[in-house]
Amino acid sequence: MIDQKVETAIEAALTAFSKYSSFNAAPFADVLGEVFDSEEDFMSKVAMLDEVFDDYQQLEALREVFFDLLMINFFSADVKKLEEDYLDTPEWEAIEEDTLDRGTELLNLLLYLNECEDEEIEPGLEDYLKEFLLVDEDEFQDEYRIYEPVIAHQVLMESPVDEIHKVAVKLPEDSELKELFYPIMCFFQNTAPSTEVKNNIADNAVDKEFDMAVLEILISFR
């Protein structure tokens, strides 16, 4: 099964990637849609997804964010076909262990946006940090460490996007948010951007094809 929002996000991401790169990724929406919609188990879908990216290295930048989409699709659609307590089973624990090094922090943000929709609230950076990630709680200091660049630069919500760019390029190479900082901050600054705003974001992007693909994924989940 494929969740409607995930399907829309796939198409939006590939269209944006194509717009800002020399590679036309749009036709791969059907190929990847078939992977997501497959009746295979989750790890088989992961293998199928990786095969697509292995065959088309021009898409490599999107591999791990598409893993995030595959995971969110599992939580939104595939799990409905399984037993109610499947996420508490040893089988799922083994899958989590096998995929510890996969994906990005985009998954947490997509889970948050789904929660916002369920609770009918507007997404916001402070709400995401404090109410969803619980970065102020002692037992969630891993989240605090990961999101420290965001926490320290919340003032950017009131700044031009070129200021977000300046901070993004200076983040340490080992920061887990290095690649995602710019699109995440731009999204929270304006969760429903106009075409003019999107163009400005693209003009100031760190990596246009990646940043705009991620931004379109987030907008699709908004």
Side-chain angles (χ1 to χ4, degrees):
M1 295 173 63
I2 186 168
D3 179 75
Q4 182 59 56
K5 282 202 297 186
V6 171
E7 186 172 23
T8 301
I10 290 171
E11 294 172 358
L14 293 176
T15 298
F17 188 86
S18 300
K19 182 177 179 178
Y20 296 103
S21 75
S22 59
F23 180 68
N24 182 14
F28 289 88
D30 290 338
V31 176
L32 290 164
E34 290 176 5
V35 172
F36 280 65
D37 201 30
S38 168
E39 295 298 319
E40 297 290 337
D41 62 47
F42 181 75
M43 291 306 292
S44 295
K45 287 188 179 186
V46 171
M48 293 163 64
L49 182 75
D50 282 337
E51 186 175 347
V52 174
F53 284 95
D54 288 343
D55 289 345
Y56 298 93
Q57 286 295 306
Q58 299 95 327
L59 294 171
E60 180 60 31
L62 297 179
R63 185 190 292 260
E64 295 307 315
V65 297
F66 268 73
F67 176 86
D68 294 331
L69 284 175
L70 190 66
M71 185 71 84
I72 201 77
N73 187 71
F74 179 83
F75 294 143
S76 301
D78 292 344
V79 78
K80 294 176 182 177
K81 302 179 298 182
L82 302 169
E83 298 163 3
E84 188 174 341
D85 63 345
Y86 179 78
L87 296 179
D88 295 321
T89 63
E91 181 180 349
W92 180 248
E93 289 179 9
I95 290 173
E96 288 186 310
E97 185 68 27
D98 289 342
T99 58
L100 277 177
D101 62 342
R102 297 300 306 267
T104 74
E105 280 300 310
L106 185 65
L107 176 60
N108 270 330
L109 184 44
L110 296 179
L111 290 169
Y112 168 71
L113 294 176
N114 275 347
E115 186 174 290
C116 288
E117 182 181 40
D118 291 342
E119 297 182 3
E120 298 182 346
I121 62 173
E122 288 294 317
L125 182 57
E126 185 175 3
D127 184 61
Y128 176 55
L129 294 172
K130 293 185 177 181
E131 301 301 325
F132 186 80
L133 295 175
L134 304 175
V135 295
D136 288 344
E137 304 292 331
D138 290 342
E139 62 266 40
F140 292 96
Q141 289 309 291
D142 280 348
E143 282 74 12
Y144 182 92
R145 176 187 56 79
I146 292 169
Y147 281 86
E148 193 166 5
V150 173
I151 295 166
H153 292 96
Q154 292 179 72
V155 68
L156 290 173
M157 291 298 96
E158 308 299 328
S159 304
V161 293
D162 65 312
E163 293 297 322
I164 300 177
H165 171 100
K166 289 176 183 177
V167 174
V169 296
K170 292 179 180 177
L171 291 180
E173 291 299 323
D174 60 354
S175 170
E176 292 180 54
L177 287 182
K178 175 73 173 177
E179 292 184 332
L180 291 172
F181 183 87
Y182 183 80
I184 286 177
M185 296 297 275
C186 288
F187 170 73
F188 274 118
Q189 190 180 73
N190 191 332
T191 59
S194 64
T195 299
E196 182 180 357
V197 171
K198 286 184 187 179
N199 289 340
N200 188 36
I201 292 171
D203 288 342
N204 288 278
V206 178
D207 180 346
K208 284 186 182 182
E209 56 195 47
F210 177 82
D211 291 344
M212 298 311 291
V214 171
L215 182 67
E216 290 294 348
I217 289 171
L218 294 172
I219 293 170
S220 295
F221 270 74
R222 161 70 171 71

